[in-house]
Amino acid sequence: MNPALDERDWRLLAERMKPLVRTLLGDPGVAEAFIRDLDHALGLPNGPAAKRELRRVLTRFPETREWIRSEVPDQENYRTAPSSTRFLEVSAPENAAVGQRVPLYVRITRLSSGRTSALRTFDVPPQGASVVVSLWAPTLIVAGDMEADLTVPAEGDSDPVRFGLVAPVTGLHKVIVRVFRNGTLLGEAAVQVTAETEVEWQEPTVRTAAIPSMAFEPGEVTLHVQRDLEGYRFQFVGEVMHAPERVKRLAADPTKIVEQMAGELSLMAAGRAAQDSAALIHRRLQGRGAELWGVVPEMVREQFWAQAGRISSLTIVSELDVIPWELLYPVDGDRKNGFLAQTVPIVRWVYGHRRVRRLAMNRVACIVPPEDASAPAIDCSAEVAMVRSRLSGLRGDPDIVELDDMYELVEHDLAGVVHFTGHHGFSDAEGPVLRLHGGELRPVDLEPAARSRPWRSSPLVFLNGCRTAGETPSIRSNTGWAEKFIRIGAGAFIGSLWGVRSESAARFADRFYEHFYERGEPLGRATLAGRLEIMDETGDPTWLAYTAYGSATATVAGR
């Protein structure tokens, strides 16, 4: 930063920034580590060493550098656009009569008027920032368009946007409002409307949610796949905010298609494919990927081809989370793109949870289940040694082999990596299961922790076993390990969608940690590097099995 600032200036900036760190950085674990480093720098005796350390700490992140620029406007190198935390405000009646059209208002404000948490700021130029407001109301009828343009002024609140909602049946109806800028999701807020046969008018309930800083990243695209009363909505969000395309119904039950796919792909990974050559196996994989591509509406496929050469990352936001979107093989006429997973980073995102941009890491915990006499032997010790070697800068916790220790792990805050290696169970009837000394662990066992969110430091969870990201119907929704660990507080999750080959799985993990932790590359690119490492394994579809949840641009804090 500007060398004209002397040590006194840096100390004053540090004291003024300290109370704002949690707001500026958002991620609790990263903020706590930053404050510790800041206190250390402030405690150094006066002199050149203190100045250098204060400058190094204060300029570590883009958010802190941006704040310094706003605090030192007379320095040429600090000039920036005005910025502040913005809030998404959504208001609607709590009750409505069936068939009655009720209003839902959306605006973006400078101050919070309800429950919210302070998040990072985003820049608004003097002429204002254009955003798109999009509704998700699967059990309601939206009168008119489901999205609208809105201008955020540099000063003051935006004008409200009005939507009309009609409840066709009685019951509780949920509406999620999302805001996009240049194809990037900025934030969301939810309201609920109870529909009854007759109801007295009440004042609307207001909900606000702070909009995080998520500057537009060229080439970032999002594919939304959502259910509603009329079927499915597909929406491609890239350089242009396209309107949703509806599909009244899919040709078959997606879960049944996926089970058929998963069974076949697991046999391939185990070396028991129905085809007798790698080339024929590859052709079958292409067929499966093209079949999946055919589920996407034609208009959305055309939107993809219009931007295909400029896509830098793809985020899948889908209620059909059982579908292996990583297997997509785009092909339309003479236009072919190969498997999407071999050309661009692909990540998923869970509805209702923020994307963590930096993962604070100070420890690694490995989960090692006991040997399963009914399954082929796996050398878990070799993979554990590899993981600890790649993450040698982190504190190594003892291996977790007991169920009690697993519960202890999830019930207390954790900044670092949780890595599972070994046999992982899955059945259509009972879903996923981890078998440890002392008993079985299933996703439902983590529900108390998911509701209390004990992980404030956003760790990375990597379950490197057979079908660790597979889902199974539960009472409330389709849920699996990914959804549970993210609700507990994981900043990112990696798992497999079908059975994987153990040797390939270990190589994938090795290359992933090399790129993510040692080289400091983003989550999406590190996952892609792991895929490419094992892509050429003869007849092995393991490279397509992995799915990553989180932000494609998430990195290790401080790297």
Side-chain angles (χ1 to χ4, degrees):
M1 303 295 284
N2 197 310
L5 297 175
D6 58 24
E7 181 185 345
R8 178 176 175 275
D9 295 326
W10 287 111
R11 288 188 179 275
L12 288 174
L13 285 170
E15 294 291 353
R16 283 154 55 188
M17 182 189 291
K18 190 174 176 181
L20 305 174
V21 169
R22 293 176 178 83
T23 298
L24 291 172
L25 298 182
D27 187 300
V30 175
E32 291 300 327
F34 184 89
I35 291 172
R36 287 195 298 271
D37 291 344
L38 200 58
D39 286 338
H40 170 73
L42 286 168
L44 294 174
N46 294 336
K51 177 183 175 180
R52 285 195 301 269
E53 183 64 11
L54 285 164
R55 180 173 179 270
R56 184 187 71 81
V57 174
L58 288 170
T59 60
R60 179 181 300 168
F61 298 114
E63 293 86 354
T64 57
R65 293 196 295 270
E66 178 184 336
W67 181 86
I68 292 173
R69 293 188 185 100
S70 68
E71 293 296 302
V72 194
D74 56 323
Q75 297 289 338
E76 181 179 356
N77 291 340
Y78 290 85
R79 291 174 184 168
T80 185
S83 63
S84 69
T85 301
R86 305 280 171 153
F87 297 90
L88 170 62
E89 181 181 277
V90 182
S91 60
E94 288 188 350
N95 299 283
V98 171
Q100 173 191 6
R101 180 169 171 170
V102 297
L104 180 142
Y105 295 97
V106 180
R107 66 173 181 156
I108 294 177
T109 67
R110 295 294 297 268
L111 298 175
S112 172
S113 59
R115 294 174 298 173
T116 189
S117 58
L119 299 174
R120 295 187 297 269
T121 61
F122 71 99
D123 291 336
V124 179
Q127 68 273 22
S130 179
V131 300
V132 174
V133 178
S134 179
L135 291 193
W136 178 69
T139 60
L140 294 169
I141 298 172
V142 179
D145 293 336
M146 297 186 69
E147 52 190 44
D149 296 322
L150 185 151
T151 299
V152 181
E155 300 293 338
D157 301 336
S158 75
D159 293 330
V161 173
R162 183 185 185 279
F163 296 90
L165 305 175
V166 178
V169 296
T170 59
L172 186 65
H173 301 271
K174 184 176 182 179
V175 183
I176 296 180
V177 180
R178 297 186 176 93
V179 176
F180 294 84
R181 185 180 183 191
N182 294 330
T184 297
L185 180 62
L186 297 179
E188 64 180 34
V191 295
Q192 292 181 333
V193 178
T194 301
E196 303 173 359
T197 53
E198 294 183 2
V199 64
E200 295 182 3
W201 174 258
Q202 295 183 0
E203 287 297 318
T205 297
V206 177
R207 293 289 183 268
T208 64
I211 298 178
S213 171
M214 198 174 293
F216 172 60
E217 295 160 4
E220 180 186 50
V221 300
T222 303
L223 178 64
H224 287 262
V225 187
Q226 301 171 328
R227 290 189 181 102
D228 60 23
L229 289 175
E230 299 180 19
Y232 300 91
R233 289 199 309 149
F234 288 76
Q235 186 175 24
F236 186 81
V237 183
E239 295 172 344
V240 177
M241 180 75 174
H242 295 285
E245 296 293 327
R246 293 187 181 276
V247 176
K248 288 191 175 180
R249 65 182 181 86
L250 299 180
D253 182 353
T255 58
K256 293 181 179 179
I257 297 174
V258 170
E259 288 309 319
Q260 184 182 14
M261 282 187 180
E264 182 178 40
L265 294 166
S266 296
L267 289 175
M268 289 180 181
R272 303 199 306 272
Q275 299 77 18
D276 60 6
S277 73
L280 292 176
I281 290 174
H282 191 72
R283 284 186 177 274
R284 174 55 62 85
L285 291 174
Q286 289 176 334
R288 287 299 191 189
E291 177 186 34
L292 191 58
W293 181 245
V295 172
V296 180
E298 181 180 1
M299 184 62 72
V300 176
R301 300 202 306 268
E302 290 300 319
Q303 294 162 5
F304 164 82
W305 289 118
Q307 195 178 333
R310 301 185 300 279
I311 296 177
S312 61
S313 67
L314 173 66
T315 299
I316 305 290
V317 184
S318 172
E319 290 184 312
L320 300 177
D321 216 26
V322 295
I323 292 182
W325 301 107
E326 290 76 7
L327 193 60
L328 281 173
Y329 187 81
V331 53
D332 286 292
D334 59 355
R335 294 173 296 183
K336 295 183 179 180
N337 198 72
F339 288 101
L340 204 56
Q342 76 184 78
T343 57
V344 300
I346 299 178
V347 297
R348 301 190 183 209
W349 194 29
V350 176
Y351 282 120
H353 297 276
R354 66 186 180 91
R355 293 194 292 183
V356 178
R357 305 301 291 273
R358 292 180 183 83
L359 304 180
M361 293 187 176
N362 59 25
R363 56 187 281 203
V364 55
C366 292
I367 305 169
V368 185
E371 291 187 10
D372 186 346
S374 63
I378 297 178
D379 186 4
C380 296
S381 60
E383 183 170 333
V384 169
M386 175 277 296
V387 171
R388 295 191 182 281
S389 176
R390 286 293 186 194
L391 305 177
S392 59
L394 306 184
R395 188 188 84 198
D397 290 2
D399 292 346
I400 293 176
V401 297
E402 301 284 345
L403 185 57
D404 286 341
D405 293 335
M406 185 67 194
Y407 279 120
E408 180 76 14
L409 180 76
V410 301
E411 290 169 358
H412 296 86
D413 196 13
L414 169 66
V417 177
V418 177
H419 185 94
F420 169 88
T421 178
H423 288 293
H424 172 268
F426 185 93
S427 69
D428 296 342
E430 297 181 333
V433 58
L434 298 180
R435 296 182 176 89
L436 300 170
H437 288 300
E440 297 180 341
L441 182 75
R442 298 185 182 277
V444 68
D445 299 325
L446 300 181
E447 184 63 20
R451 290 184 174 276
S452 61
R453 284 188 61 85
W455 289 351
R456 306 295 181 185
S457 301
S458 307
L460 164 69
V461 177
F462 189 161
L463 299 192
N464 199 20
C466 293
R467 207 174 182 189
T468 51
E471 300 199 339
T472 184
S474 70
I475 295 174
R476 185 171 57 86
S477 63
N478 280 347
T479 184
W481 294 121
E483 190 259 3
K484 280 294 189 292
F485 278 112
I486 289 174
R487 287 178 57 207
I488 290 171
F493 175 92
I494 298 175
S496 61
L497 293 165
W498 58 79
V500 296
R501 191 173 295 178
S502 58
E503 297 85 356
S504 300
R507 287 175 55 205
F508 174 89
D510 182 55
R511 182 54 58 92
F512 169 79
Y513 286 125
E514 175 191 351
H515 283 259
F516 184 65
Y517 181 76
E518 293 184 351
R519 300 188 185 186
E521 294 181 10
L523 178 73
R525 289 214 301 265
T527 304
L528 178 59
R531 292 190 199 279
L532 297 180
E533 169 70 16
I534 61 174
M535 186 177 68
D536 294 330
E537 279 293 313
T538 304
D540 183 9
T542 295
W543 69 281
L544 289 167
Y546 286 99
T547 183
Y549 289 75
S551 171
T553 58
T555 55
V556 178
R559 292 276 171 172

